[in-house]
Amino acid sequence: MKINEIKELLNVIDKTNLEFVKIESSDLKLEVSKSSNRIVNNDLRNSKYDLSENANYEEVVSDICEEAIEATIEDNINIHVVSAPLMGTFYSSPNPDEGNFVKVGDIVKAGDTLCILEAMKLMNEINSNVSGEVIEILVENEELVEYGQPMFKIKAL
């Protein structure tokens, strides 16, 4: 496999949600890993592609892309994004001495408080619009958020 083909393959993998790809042939062993809080699908983790001298590299890249698209679609089914309804400062807890309203892995009900956004000295509670599991918190405590900025990803149950 030529270096340009490897670079192209790495660029394709980098643009996907794949966390781990392992490619082996008699003359090449390539493992690519990205760190994240997501759980990796074991089928994707153990995927192997034919990279023998007679292999069609365009077909291999196409197969990886197709698998990545399928995984992305499957991962995004029932994922709801809670976006900032106004610009303000994000607070993950009611006050500095208390714990966060939610953390990754928590199960929330529609109407549960996720955070507070402070705007013009007014504290605005932001509530979940769906019942489900918090799978990602996209902002840090005391971070300024813009109107429409995604703050949470919740997988509906």
Side-chain angles (χ1 to χ4, degrees):
M1 188 170 211
K2 296 177 185 173
I3 191 70
N4 288 341
E5 292 169 330
I6 294 172
K7 286 180 181 179
E8 179 182 343
L9 183 60
L10 290 174
N11 283 332
V12 169
I13 292 169
D14 189 46
K15 292 176 184 172
T16 69
N17 287 338
L18 290 175
E19 299 295 328
F20 185 87
V21 175
K22 184 176 183 179
I23 301 172
E24 291 184 40
S25 72
S26 59
D27 59 341
L28 174 72
K29 180 177 179 181
L30 177 68
E31 290 186 30
V32 179
S33 175
K34 296 191 284 187
S35 63
S36 171
N37 292 335
R38 259 181 16 110
I39 297 171
V40 180
N41 181 330
N42 283 332
D43 294 337
L44 295 177
R45 177 179 294 183
N46 296 322
S47 295
K48 293 184 181 178
Y49 301 93
D50 175 26
L51 289 177
S52 63
E53 289 182 21
N54 298 327
N56 179 345
Y57 296 114
E58 288 178 11
E59 191 173 301
V60 170
V61 170
S62 175
D63 289 347
I64 290 173
C65 290
E66 193 172 307
E67 199 169 313
I69 290 168
E70 287 173 12
T72 300
I73 290 170
E74 185 177 313
D75 285 347
N76 288 328
I77 292 175
N78 293 328
I79 301 294
H80 296 272
V81 176
V82 178
S83 299
L86 52 99
M87 186 177 105
T89 303
F90 175 90
Y91 292 106
S92 57
S93 63
N95 65 56
D97 299 329
E98 291 188 37
N100 293 347
F101 288 109
V102 295
K103 61 185 181 302
V104 172
D106 284 355
I107 304 297
V108 297
K109 293 182 226 149
D112 285 356
T113 301
L114 300 172
C115 67
I116 293 175
L117 285 183
E118 177 189 5
M120 298 175 48
K121 305 285 183 194
L122 293 175
M123 301 299 182
N124 301 280
E125 285 188 359
I126 307 304
N127 300 320
S128 176
N129 54 358
V130 66
S131 296
E133 178 185 358
V134 177
I135 59 170
E136 195 170 358
I137 300 174
L138 304 168
V139 292
E140 297 291 324
N141 192 41
E142 299 183 3
E143 181 179 330
L144 180 65
V145 296
E146 298 291 329
Y147 170 77
Q149 179 179 341
M151 299 185 300
F152 296 92
K153 287 187 180 179
I154 299 175
K155 183 169 188 166
L157 298 176

